[in-house]
Structures are given as structure tokens and as C-alpha cells.
Amino acid sequence: STGAVKMQPKAEELKFVTKNDGYVHIHPSSVNYQTRHFESPYLVYHEKIKTSRVFIRDCSMVSVYPLVLLGGGQVHMQLLKGEFVISLDDGWIRFVAASHQVAELVKELRCELDQLLQDKIKNPSMDLCMCPRGSRIIGMIVKLVTTQ
């Protein structure tokens, strides 16, 4: 018996999309160049260069919850075709939440984290792990990210 087996793309074939540049590739000098499969479709990168095509270096895969909680821009939630969609960066990054409750909780946790960080900026001596509100928020984020 014979059959087709799905092959992982070659390193030079793997590409990602950025908002401003369209398709980008991982630079051959990057430690992730030979990585042919990422568990999450999202990467963060430090450097982008253009030679024969646009490349990114110093990149790391990032999963959805850290992206939502720590990424820039506002978090929005909407109902589309019966699914609750959480979006970032004016809809550029979107994903479907498991339920309305999960979407609301993630959005609220992001708001609480943003407020906590604003409080820390106003009061740099504040110990986030020692204050009850801060330790609860940080504990919830750690639990969410590590059990994802």
C-alpha cells in the first residue's frame, strides 16, 4: 500500500506575514532557520532586514495568551458567525476563543494587567508580588500561560 505523507516545508520555503511587509522569511543565520514547524503561528522578532527578500532574525514563537496579555494595542472582542473572536492591533491578529466566557475573562485580565502596570509606573517602589491585587493578577497570568 502506498499513500501521501504530508511533508514539513523546507527551511527556505517557510514564510510568515507581517502587517507592513507582507511575506517574510527567517534569516539563514537565525537559530530558528531549521525549525520547520511551530506550535503557534505567531512569531515575535527583533530585527528585520531586506536583502534578496525580507528576512527576520532574533525571532521566537509566541503562543496566543502571552500575545494577547503582553502584546501592544487594544484587545477587542466580537461575535462573528457564531464564534467569539478576540482581535489585537485593529484586527490584524485574530483568533477564536473557546467561549464567550473565556473571551471576556481574557479581555478583563488584560485590562487588569494594563492597570497594574500603570500603577507600577506611578509608584515604582510598589512590589507587585506583595500587594494582594498584583499577586492575584500575576498568579492568574502564570497559571493561564503555563496550562495553555
Side-chain angles (χ1 to χ4, degrees), residues 65-140:
Y65 288 130
L67 185 65
V68 171
L69 295 173
L70 303 169
Q74 295 292 315
V75 176
H76 301 281
M77 184 188 66
Q78 64 188 96
L79 180 63
L80 290 174
K81 298 180 183 176
E83 296 181 312
F84 293 97
V85 176
I86 297 175
S87 64
L88 300 169
D89 197 18
D90 297 328
W92 168 243
I93 299 171
R94 296 182 304 184
F95 57 93
V96 177
S99 68
H100 179 259
Q101 183 179 17
V102 169
E104 285 290 344
L105 289 171
V106 169
K107 184 177 178 185
E108 187 61 32
L109 186 57
R110 168 65 187 265
C111 291
E112 288 292 328
L113 177 60
D114 287 348
Q115 185 58 54
L116 184 65
L117 293 174
Q118 287 294 328
D119 294 346
K120 176 68 174 173
I121 290 168
K122 291 176 187 171
N123 182 7
S125 64
M126 181 172 85
D127 186 344
L128 297 179
C129 294
M130 296 306 287
C131 77
R133 181 172 159 261
S135 64
R136 282 194 311 271
I137 293 169
I138 292 169
M140 183 63 89

Side-chain angles (χ1 to χ4, degrees), residues 9-124:
K10 294 177 184 171
E12 62 272 7
E13 297 172 340
L14 191 62
K15 55 189 171 185
F16 296 88
V17 179
T18 66
K19 188 174 183 179
N20 297 327
D21 297 297
Y23 288 112
V24 298
H25 301 265
I26 298 176
H27 195 274
S29 68
S30 174
V31 295
N32 283 326
Y33 181 70
Q34 292 299 325
T35 304
R36 294 170 26 172
H37 174 73
F38 294 92
E39 294 295 320
S40 171
Y42 304 106
L43 294 181
V44 293
Y45 61 90
H46 175 68
E47 184 178 27
K48 181 172 52 174
I49 58 172
K50 184 175 183 178
T51 55
S52 58
R53 53 187 172 179
V54 179
F55 291 99
I56 56 173
R57 286 198 288 217
D58 304 326
C59 61
S60 296
M61 183 199 75
V62 62
S63 54
V64 171
Y65 288 130
L67 185 65
V68 171
L69 295 173
L70 303 169
Q74 295 292 315
V75 176
H76 301 281
M77 184 188 66
Q78 64 188 96
L79 180 63
L80 290 174
K81 298 180 183 176
E83 296 181 312
F84 293 97
V85 176
I86 297 175
S87 64
L88 300 169
D89 197 18
D90 297 328
W92 168 243
I93 299 171
R94 296 182 304 184
F95 57 93
V96 177
S99 68
H100 179 259
Q101 183 179 17
V102 169
E104 285 290 344
L105 289 171
V106 169
K107 184 177 178 185
E108 187 61 32
L109 186 57
R110 168 65 187 265
C111 291
E112 288 292 328
L113 177 60
D114 287 348
Q115 185 58 54
L116 184 65
L117 293 174
Q118 287 294 328
D119 294 346
K120 176 68 174 173
I121 290 168
K122 291 176 187 171
N123 182 7

